[in-house]
């Protein structure tokens, strides 16, 4: 991060004039509109000590601006977000996820779609950092959740250049409306109340999966869409409610592909598991039944879907019912939340694939990116745009 011309921010902050320094950060456009913690030299150094890499390490460029992110810049944004130093490895992993080509950071940062950067923390590190995965985990009240998600967003804005605005040259975030989730969206998987193996266990790690692994998944999603079903007592009835909620003609995934996330509340997950269904069974059912009847889509919109989604040769085969995903595995299913018969669905920008990164298993190890499933491929050249 390089300061524009003006007062020396670090000098101001280290001279204990933090009110002036914080106001200068806002004027420079380095905040998300909320008050920030001023990144003094002392604070940034504490964060660098907790990182996994050398303090002078370069983490590479961030789209769309292409500015280089340094570990020091990441630490400064983490300080501003209100993080604790111990969160640094999780933030480093999130940055690795953002930089994967199939994540399409350029597209997700500049689209008119209101996608936010969702961060899901999994494994022992979630408990160590008190990242909430139970009741209210996607809302307010949890320091780790709020500040980790906020730090990732600040990095995307301050280094990547995705700042909202009215179309000026530097306003690269062109989201039509934006979304509250763009401030911060972070939660943990609820392993304790999940009836199935952890989310990371289903991924094809080149060197295997270990229950002691700590993972970070990042996806460019819409805010949570509630799925309310308090009365269903059978898996079939519950799945019909979920499928109908997901079969939304306006979702980007209908015509652009990509993956999406269904986060089941523990009570819904238990009902499905008690009926003998695995995570893969749920994915298969939703792939087959969460489809948009072509009669619910205007002719012009259907034509758009056929151009972008590669449906020209599939609509008749599918009985003119448009799938919301290209394959069952593209419907990512995990468990989070607390008591209550609710689940949530988050479609993505579409032209993006979520990325899951494993934190180093031991000192000296690097970050490992989980390979995408074989079905995670663009249907045609247009989808890479």
């Amino acid at each position: 991060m390089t300061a524009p011309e003006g007062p020396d921010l670090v000098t101001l902050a280290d001279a204990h004039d933090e009110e002036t320094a914080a106001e200068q950060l806002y004027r420079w456009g380095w905040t998300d509109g909320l008050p920030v913690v001023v990144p003094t030299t002392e604070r940034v150094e504490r964060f660098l000590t907790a990182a996994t890499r050398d303090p002078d390490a370069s983490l590479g460029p961030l789209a769309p601006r292409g500015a280089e992110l340094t570990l020091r810049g990441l630490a400064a944004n983490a300080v501003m977000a209100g993080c604790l130093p111990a969160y640094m490895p999780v933030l480093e992993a999130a940055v690795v996820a953002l930089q994967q080509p199939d994540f399409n950071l350029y597209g997700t940062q500049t689209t008119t779609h209101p996608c936010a950067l969702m961060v899901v923390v999994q494994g022992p590190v979630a408990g160590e950092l008190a990242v909430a995965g139970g009741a209210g985990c996607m809302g307010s009240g949890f320091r780790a959740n709020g500040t980790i998600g906020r730090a990732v967003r600040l990095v995307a804005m301050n280094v990547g250049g995705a700042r909202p605005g009215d179309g000026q040259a530097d306003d690269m975030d062109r989201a039509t409306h934006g979304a509250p989730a763009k401030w911060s969206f972070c939660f943990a998987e609820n392993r304790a109340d999940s009836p199935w193996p952890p989310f990371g266990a289903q991924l094809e790690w080149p060197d295997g999966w270990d229950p002691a692994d700590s993972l970070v998944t990042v996806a460019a999603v819409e805010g949570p869409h509630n799925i309310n079903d308090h009365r269903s007592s059978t898996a079939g009835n519950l799945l019909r409610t979920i499928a109908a909620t997901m079969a939304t003609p306006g979702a980007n995934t209908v015509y652009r592909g990509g993956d999406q996330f269904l986060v089941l509340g523990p009570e819904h997950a238990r009902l499905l598991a008690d009926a003998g269904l695995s995570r893969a069974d749920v994915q298969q059912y939703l792939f087959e039944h969460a489809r948009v009847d072509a009669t619910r889509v205007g002719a012009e919109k259907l034509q758009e879907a056929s151009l972008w989604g590669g449906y020209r040769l599939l609509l008749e085969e599918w009985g003119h019912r448009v799938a919301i995903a290209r394959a069952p595995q593209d419907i990512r299913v995990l468990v989070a939340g607390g008591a209550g018969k609710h689940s949530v669905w988050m479609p993505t920008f579409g032209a993006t694939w979520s990325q899951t990164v494993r934190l180093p298993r031991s000192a000296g190890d690097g970050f490992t990116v989980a390979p995408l499933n074989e079905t995670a491929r663009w249907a045609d050249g247009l989808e890479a745009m």
Side-chain angles (χ1 to χ4, degrees):
M1 297 170 61
T2 303
E5 293 182 6
D8 187 324
L9 176 65
V10 173
T11 300
L12 284 173
D14 289 345
H16 306 294
D17 187 1
E18 294 203 13
E19 183 176 350
T20 299
E23 188 60 28
Q24 183 64 63
L25 283 167
Y26 177 75
R27 287 197 295 269
W28 281 341
W30 282 6
T31 78
D32 53 10
L34 296 174
V36 297
V37 178
V38 176
T40 65
T41 301
E42 180 183 1
R43 288 170 181 155
V44 171
E45 290 300 325
R46 285 204 305 270
F47 276 66
L48 291 173
T49 300
T52 68
R53 285 173 275 196
D54 184 86
D56 295 318
S58 169
L59 307 185
L62 284 187
R65 190 171 65 180
E68 180 185 17
L69 173 64
T70 64
L71 192 62
R72 196 171 300 276
L74 177 60
N77 280 279
V79 170
M80 287 194 289
C83 289
L84 296 179
Y87 303 167
M88 279 295 286
V90 167
L91 296 175
E92 292 178 73
V95 169
V96 172
L98 294 178
Q99 292 175 321
Q100 299 309 303
D102 285 318
F103 187 82
N104 186 13
L105 184 60
Y106 188 97
T108 60
Q109 292 261 68
T110 60
T111 178
T112 52
H113 181 264
C115 54
L117 297 174
M118 181 183 76
V119 180
V120 187
V121 184
Q122 304 140 69
V125 73
E128 294 165 6
L129 302 182
V131 183
C137 61
M138 297 183 185
S140 59
F142 305 103
R143 175 167 58 182
N145 299 44
T147 62
I148 289 172
R150 187 187 185 196
V152 172
R153 175 62 180 160
L154 283 174
V155 167
M157 294 173 66
N158 293 335
V159 182
R163 182 162 303 286
D166 56 6
Q168 300 301 314
D170 293 334
D171 300 333
M172 296 184 180
D173 180 349
R174 301 299 174 88
T176 303
H177 297 100
K182 276 180 173 281
W183 265 295
S184 176
F185 194 3
C186 172
F187 62 95
E189 179 181 28
N190 187 343
R191 280 196 186 184
D193 294 328
S194 174
W196 298 311
F199 178 78
Q202 66 180 320
L203 304 178
E204 298 180 1
W205 300 97
D207 50 358
W209 177 79
D210 188 316
D213 288 340
S214 290
L215 313 174
V216 175
T217 297
V218 181
V221 303
E222 296 177 22
H225 296 238
N226 182 55
I227 304 173
N228 174 351
D229 191 330
H230 281 67
R231 294 302 299 271
S232 288
S233 60
T234 67
N237 282 339
L238 174 58
L239 285 172
R240 278 192 282 275
T241 299
I242 295 173
T245 304
M246 296 170 64
T248 303
N252 271 32
T253 49
V254 170
Y255 69 101
R256 298 205 72 174
D259 55 2
Q260 56 200 277
F261 282 77
L262 172 65
V263 178
L264 293 167
E267 293 185 45
H268 280 171
R270 175 54 60 188
L271 174 62
L272 298 174
D274 285 349
L277 299 179
S278 65
R279 176 186 275 113
D281 293 331
V282 172
Q283 291 171 310
Q284 184 64 42
Y285 179 95
L286 294 174
F287 174 68
E288 294 175 359
H289 293 87
R291 298 197 174 192
V292 179
D293 193 300
T295 60
R296 296 177 57 206
V297 184
E300 292 169 317
K301 176 67 178 178
L302 192 62
Q303 182 182 33
E304 178 187 28
S306 71
L307 290 173
W308 284 95
Y311 290 134
R312 285 190 196 86
L313 304 179
L314 295 176
L315 275 177
E316 185 173 345
E317 176 187 332
W318 288 349
H320 292 271
R321 295 174 63 246
V322 181
I324 63 164
R326 301 299 181 268
Q329 299 93 324
D330 298 341
I331 303 173
R332 318 293 187 188
V333 178
L334 55 88
V335 177
K341 295 183 178 180
H342 294 267
S343 295
V344 289
W345 172 58
M346 282 83 72
T348 65
F349 165 52
T352 179
W353 296 100
S354 65
Q355 303 291 323
T356 298
V357 177
R358 187 180 71 207
L359 273 64
R361 285 176 167 170
S362 58
D365 289 349
F367 293 90
T368 303
V369 182
L372 293 175
N373 47 285
E374 291 184 0
T375 58
R377 299 289 183 271
W378 302 118
D380 55 54
L382 286 174
E383 300 217 33
M385 296 177 63

